[in-house]
Amino acid sequence: MSAAVFSSIRRNSAAAAPPEQLDPWLLWPALGLLMFGLVMVYSASIATAEGSKFTAYQPTYFLVRHGVFLVVGLIAGIVAFQIPLRFWQQAAPWAFIAGVVLLLVVLIPHLGRAVNGAQRWVPLGPINLQPSELMKLFAVLYAADYTTRKLGDMDSFRRGFLPMAAVIISVGFLLLREPDFGAFVVVAAIAFGIVFLGGINARIFALLAVVALVGFVLLIWLSPYRRERILGFMDPWNDAYGKGYQLSHALIAFGRGEWFGVGLGASVEKLFYLPEAHTDFLLAVIAEELGFAGVLFVVAMFAILVQRAFAIGRQAVTLNRLYGGLVAQGIGIWLGVQSFINMGVNMGLLPTKGLTLPLMSFGGSGIVANCVALALLLRVDWENRALMRGEQV
């Protein structure tokens, strides 16, 4: 089996994808967000890099690291694009198991690295691996494979829904131990979104939605720090120097930006006022420096990406390629849900949550996982086009 797969990779890599065989409405918005993110990470991180002994007071520290991550991500994406989807389907269960093992490793004392009370990283020399970012990709691959294999059992609660629910609850337990509630929400949305698109019984899905809502409310209410975040979100100005600090400064950044911003590089909030300006709150810096126009551009690019992901997925399904279709739509769910949550947090529409803006925020594991996901999306589209031309894939 492996020899056949790698033989297929060699055949496909010779003329992998001429530009006319790639969807420009997918390729250019994705590259635009990656490049725009590089510029804005530099702008948002200059003051932090200059003022910290941990970065050796080098203003380009985060720019260089983000640029390296971006190059690694693009190379990984190019490699991933060469691999046929059937190989990804065969590898999906093993990739998911590897992700679970990494989530276990990060919780082991002296192996996992803790930052700001959260133990989410595995130090690997000069870089830190964040398993929860990789798990989002693995969840797409596994949920699509599971749904494809269990297609005839989607009407059954015991055979179709329960095994997936048990797996996601187990992963959620590990993520909440870090804790990483935001990643759990995204992984759960990916998995159950794919199961829903695969044709799960509507009554079972409605029951799931109710149970999930009750579960999330309990997780928030029974955790003091999550409860404090909700209270701070409801009225950030009531404790602007305490639990409402991040949100109040994000809102100030949005207010200062107005229609066209104060100018690239001219943000005041990034000057040690707004925490995590180059990661979780990058959109607030964009809003301050480039105004409503800059935010609208980001929202429009993500909307195009999500729309293309679902369109490519629908096309794959019509070509009887269910796995590819579910992978494409799962990636659309991932990018849509995570970007929506991050934007909602930045705008004060959702409680503060540690989720980065996909494709744009600083972070090596996230950028690499996003680039591989986009490569898989392009691969689904490329195989769709090849099939319509009557070629074998």
Side-chain angles (χ1 to χ4, degrees), residues 219-294:
L219 284 172
I220 292 170
W221 189 253
L222 296 176
S223 173
Y225 87 93
R226 292 192 191 104
R227 190 166 64 246
E228 288 298 313
R229 282 189 171 185
I230 292 293
L231 296 175
F233 153 73
M234 294 174 67
D235 187 5
W237 307 107
N238 186 48
D239 188 11
Y241 292 98
K243 54 181 177 285
Y245 184 80
Q246 284 181 304
L247 179 53
S248 61
H249 280 280
L251 293 176
I252 290 170
F254 271 85
R256 291 192 75 243
E258 298 185 348
W259 288 102
F260 298 103
V262 297
L264 183 63
S267 167
V268 171
E269 285 300 320
K270 70 184 181 185
L271 304 178
F272 302 101
Y273 294 105
L274 179 61
E276 310 297 339
H278 58 299
T279 55
D280 299 353
F281 284 89
L282 185 66
L283 188 70
V285 177
I286 294 173
E288 186 178 5
E289 295 190 348
L290 302 177
F292 176 77

Side-chain angles (χ1 to χ4, degrees), residues 185-204:
V185 172
V186 174
V187 168
I190 290 169
F192 293 123
I194 289 175
V195 170
F196 173 74
L197 292 169
I200 195 171
N201 183 284
R203 286 177 296 181
I204 295 175

Side-chain angles (χ1 to χ4, degrees), residues 244-375:
Y245 184 80
Q246 284 181 304
L247 179 53
S248 61
H249 280 280
L251 293 176
I252 290 170
F254 271 85
R256 291 192 75 243
E258 298 185 348
W259 288 102
F260 298 103
V262 297
L264 183 63
S267 167
V268 171
E269 285 300 320
K270 70 184 181 185
L271 304 178
F272 302 101
Y273 294 105
L274 179 61
E276 310 297 339
H278 58 299
T279 55
D280 299 353
F281 284 89
L282 185 66
L283 188 70
V285 177
I286 294 173
E288 186 178 5
E289 295 190 348
L290 302 177
F292 176 77
V295 175
L296 185 62
F297 170 78
V298 173
V299 172
M301 292 300 100
F302 274 108
I304 291 171
L305 284 183
V306 173
Q307 187 277 330
R308 291 309 305 153
F310 276 88
I312 290 168
R314 285 195 303 271
Q315 185 181 54
V317 172
T318 62
L319 294 170
N320 294 318
R321 297 174 55 79
L322 181 60
Y323 179 74
L326 292 176
V327 166
Q329 292 176 338
I331 292 170
I333 293 171
W334 171 11
L335 295 178
V337 169
Q338 185 165 335
S339 60
F340 175 79
I341 292 175
N342 178 272
M343 292 174 188
V345 166
N346 276 253
M347 298 178 190
L349 301 175
L350 295 171
T352 304
K353 182 80 324 274
L355 275 178
T356 56
L357 188 60
L359 306 174
M360 298 188 69
S361 292
F362 177 81
S365 302
I367 286 293
V368 172
N370 293 160
C371 288
V372 172
L374 287 172

Side-chain angles (χ1 to χ4, degrees), residues 123-190:
L124 300 173
I127 64 172
N128 293 309
L129 176 68
Q130 189 171 357
S132 59
E133 291 294 337
L134 301 181
M135 180 51 74
K136 296 168 188 174
L137 175 62
F138 298 155
V140 170
L141 298 174
Y142 177 75
D145 174 57
Y146 174 88
T147 304
T148 303
R149 287 187 287 107
K150 295 276 191 175
L151 196 60
D153 295 322
M154 284 293 104
D155 281 336
S156 170
F157 177 82
R158 183 175 61 85
R159 296 190 305 275
F161 169 74
L162 201 56
M164 175 59 74
V167 167
I168 296 305
I169 289 172
S170 301
V171 170
F173 174 78
L174 296 176
L175 289 171
L176 293 174
R177 291 285 296 170
E178 296 183 3
D180 196 344
F181 183 71
F184 175 42
V185 172
V186 174
V187 168
I190 290 169

